Amino acid sequence: MGHDQLSVFKQFGLVLHLDLPKNCLSDKDVPAELNLDNKPTGSFLPYDIEISKYPIIRCDGVHKDFEGNSAVGTTYHPLLSVPGYITYVVPQHNVCVLSGPISSDDTYIVSWVDEGGSRRVGQIGTILSASTEVASTEDEKTNKRLKENFIESISDNCTGFAPHTAWPVDEIEDIHERFSNPERIDLKIVGLVNPTDEVKFYSVLLFYMKGEKQKCIVGGMKKADALDYGELAQKLRSK
């Protein structure tokens, strides 16, 4: 499952056209089709949003092989992030899930099987300041409640990972410097989930050209060790 969707990100230097999923800055920034107006206020779980019907995104690129240039293309479920919410998708068969940019070690992608036997892939929408990438005191309280209620409510088959932790700063800098014009490159780390029976998590490094919203260069992909329910709960409660 998802072989082509994974191989795209294994090719260092591959140029892609990929419009990443949206990271909403607040609940007022949420796409209208997610219909937040019908969500309860003042609660935190079930403060979740199923976004499976949100349009899948397409990734297209060109690479050189022995026959010359050839096109690559595939699709992904977009996993949008909404501060203060758990967003999730119920993936279609053979469709991997791709998150938006992850800017903090405290942002977790998770997966679990619900009571009906359906695989879900989600993101815990911790609130971060856009300028400092840390939470304010009030937001920290909200984040703690969101995480704690998630831990208490979710099935113990839940696993997860933090995509940002896969890439040490010195490694990113080394890769960044390999570009001829590094000052024109914006770094983005995204989470990728292959929703097989034994779900697999990956962290992907992408370099976007400044001024070209959809054009990026693959910096690499790492398979992440999944945190089991106990390990995930410990991580979420530690911050």
Side-chain angles (χ1 to χ4, degrees):
M1 176 184 284
H3 173 73
D4 291 337
Q5 296 163 316
L6 299 178
S7 62
V8 164
F9 295 117
K10 292 179 180 177
Q11 303 175 58
F12 178 84
L14 178 64
V15 178
L16 300 175
H17 291 273
L18 174 62
D19 191 6
L20 287 173
K22 182 182 181 68
N23 279 343
C24 302
L25 300 179
S26 73
D27 56 5
K28 301 186 186 307
D29 193 34
V30 175
E33 53 266 50
L34 296 187
N35 198 19
L36 262 189
D37 291 340
N38 290 336
K39 291 291 170 184
T41 57
S43 62
F44 293 90
L45 265 182
Y47 222 44
D48 54 8
I49 312 170
E50 182 175 358
I51 54 176
S52 301
K53 295 181 180 178
Y54 201 77
I56 62 173
I57 55 176
R58 182 164 181 85
C59 173
D60 293 297
V62 173
H63 67 85
K64 290 186 176 181
D65 55 26
F66 295 111
E67 303 299 326
N69 289 338
S70 61
V72 297
T74 187
T75 55
Y76 302 90
H77 276 296
L79 184 57
L80 288 73
S81 171
V82 181
Y85 290 82
I86 308 298
T87 49
Y88 72 91
V89 297
V90 180
Q92 299 174 19
H93 182 65
N94 282 336
V95 181
C96 289
V97 179
L98 188 69
S99 79
I102 304 292
S103 59
S104 167
D105 290 353
D106 195 31
T107 300
Y108 285 84
I109 305 297
V110 293
S111 182
W112 68 97
V113 177
D114 64 20
E115 293 179 353
S118 297
R119 167 70 60 188
R120 296 187 181 191
V121 176
Q123 181 167 338
I124 301 173
T126 46
I127 304 171
L128 302 172
S129 165
S131 58
T132 63
E133 295 186 353
V134 297
S136 68
T137 301
E138 193 58 36
D139 288 342
E140 282 180 356
K141 294 178 181 178
T142 299
N143 289 342
K144 283 183 181 294
R145 287 196 293 264
L146 180 67
K147 292 174 184 177
E148 186 61 35
N149 282 316
F150 176 78
I151 294 166
E152 294 296 328
S153 302
I154 204 65
S155 166
D156 62 7
N157 66 51
C158 184
T159 59
F161 80 122
H164 201 267
T165 62
W167 298 95
V169 173
D170 55 351
E171 184 177 0
I172 292 174
E173 290 177 347
D174 287 344
I175 297 173
H176 195 194
E177 291 303 317
R178 294 170 65 178
F179 293 99
S180 56
N181 296 301
E183 69 280 356
R184 294 189 60 244
I185 301 294
D186 277 334
L187 159 72
K188 297 187 187 298
I189 295 173
V190 300
L192 177 66
V193 182
N194 189 4
T196 54
D197 292 337
E198 190 174 333
V199 66
K200 296 180 177 64
F201 296 115
Y202 300 87
S203 181
V204 179
L205 184 64
L206 299 172
F207 294 96
Y208 273 76
M209 317 290 194
K210 290 182 179 178
E212 299 185 51
K213 179 182 176 183
Q214 297 184 356
K215 188 176 181 180
C216 66
I217 299 170
V218 175
M221 180 178 77
K222 293 183 178 182
K223 187 176 184 297
D225 292 330
L227 300 170
D228 64 24
Y229 174 82
E231 294 168 326
L232 182 62
Q234 184 177 23
K235 290 283 188 182
L236 292 176
R237 285 172 171 151
S238 67
K239 293 186 178 182

